[in-house]
Amino acid sequence: MKVGIYGGSFNPVHFGHVGLAKWVIEHTDLDEVWLLVSPNNPLKNADELAPEQERLAGVRAAIKGIKGLVASDFEFTLPRPSYTANTLRQLQLAYPQHEFVLIIGEDNWNIFTKWREYDYILSTFPIFIYPRHPQPTTCLPGSLPTVDRRSTDSRTTRQADITLPHGAHITYLADAPHFDISSTELRQQFLSPTETK
């Protein structure tokens, strides 16, 4: 089985998360997409996170009945903070029969060299990158090699396969929809004016 790992705080989950995951299932060769709730993202302020079980319950409710989407609490039992390299390594050990693909936004790709063991991730797992803006702005971190893009067709979507010289396989989901919403904006909508200052 080919499984996409779509990790995040999901604080809270919203229609953009679900819409993207659903699109990926429908337009790529993945069998499932696991929305992996991160209890403690090292790049985010833990004080702003709702309880992990609450966020997991939100994801489960949001994807209920959508074929191929799975809410996962896999990281809840792993050391914290939740480093993606360690999570992927543990997923391989727990599910050796699966092939895992990492799904990230272009904003994370652009800071990928800040991720712990990013070179291990690149050399071991395929990566799907989705646009985070209406007009894609993806550029590679300076310490990664320049890419060679070529257009290919996958079902109804056009994708650009980026093959890095050291063996990494990156697929840019050029036609993935853009959802103009963020969890931060949703949280702020529920705060009073004095609380947002």
Side-chain angles (χ1 to χ4, degrees):
M1 179 181 291
K2 194 170 184 179
V3 177
I5 298 300
Y6 180 20
S9 298
F10 301 110
N11 186 49
V13 65
H14 54 67
F15 69 84
H17 297 132
V18 178
L20 175 70
K22 189 171 182 290
W23 186 92
V24 171
I25 276 290
E26 294 173 349
H27 295 87
T28 70
D29 62 349
L30 296 181
D31 299 299
E32 291 184 346
V33 170
W34 294 1
L35 285 81
L36 202 73
V37 179
S38 173
N40 184 195
N41 183 326
L43 297 179
K44 294 190 178 181
N45 186 349
D47 294 337
E48 297 178 357
L49 294 175
E52 58 197 44
Q53 292 294 343
E54 181 179 313
R55 290 181 282 126
L56 177 65
V59 172
R60 284 177 173 155
I63 66 173
K64 185 176 181 180
I66 303 177
K67 185 178 180 181
L69 301 191
V70 177
S72 174
D73 61 357
F74 187 82
E75 284 191 334
F76 288 12
T77 60
L78 300 181
R80 302 181 186 190
S82 307
Y83 293 106
T84 300
N86 183 54
T87 299
L88 291 170
R89 187 179 285 113
Q90 294 304 317
L91 281 167
Q92 273 193 324
L93 291 173
Y95 303 96
Q97 72 277 21
H98 294 346
E99 176 186 353
F100 291 104
V101 176
L102 180 63
I103 303 170
I104 63 173
E106 65 178 338
D107 53 340
N108 276 310
W109 176 250
N110 290 337
I111 61 167
F112 200 68
T113 53
K114 294 183 179 180
W115 287 31
R116 179 171 291 195
E117 295 186 85
Y118 76 89
D119 49 347
Y120 161 73
I121 299 172
L122 282 172
S123 64
T124 311
F125 301 92
I127 301 176
F128 285 1
I129 302 172
Y130 59 90
R132 289 301 300 264
H133 304 283
Q135 297 299 320
T137 59
T138 293
C139 59
L140 295 177
S143 60
L144 291 180
T146 304
V147 303
D148 174 28
R149 294 191 180 199
R150 54 187 174 82
S151 295
T152 61
D153 290 324
S154 175
R155 298 187 189 178
T156 60
T157 186
R158 184 180 68 259
Q159 299 178 355
D161 282 356
I162 306 169
T163 304
L164 302 181
H166 54 286
H169 190 267
I170 312 299
T171 300
Y172 187 71
L173 304 174
D175 292 338
H178 171 256
F179 297 94
D180 191 17
I181 188 170
S182 74
S183 294
T184 300
E185 291 171 348
L186 286 177
R187 289 196 305 276
Q188 290 175 345
Q189 289 177 12
F190 291 98
L191 297 176
S192 68
T194 56
E195 289 176 307
T196 58
K197 292 182 180 178

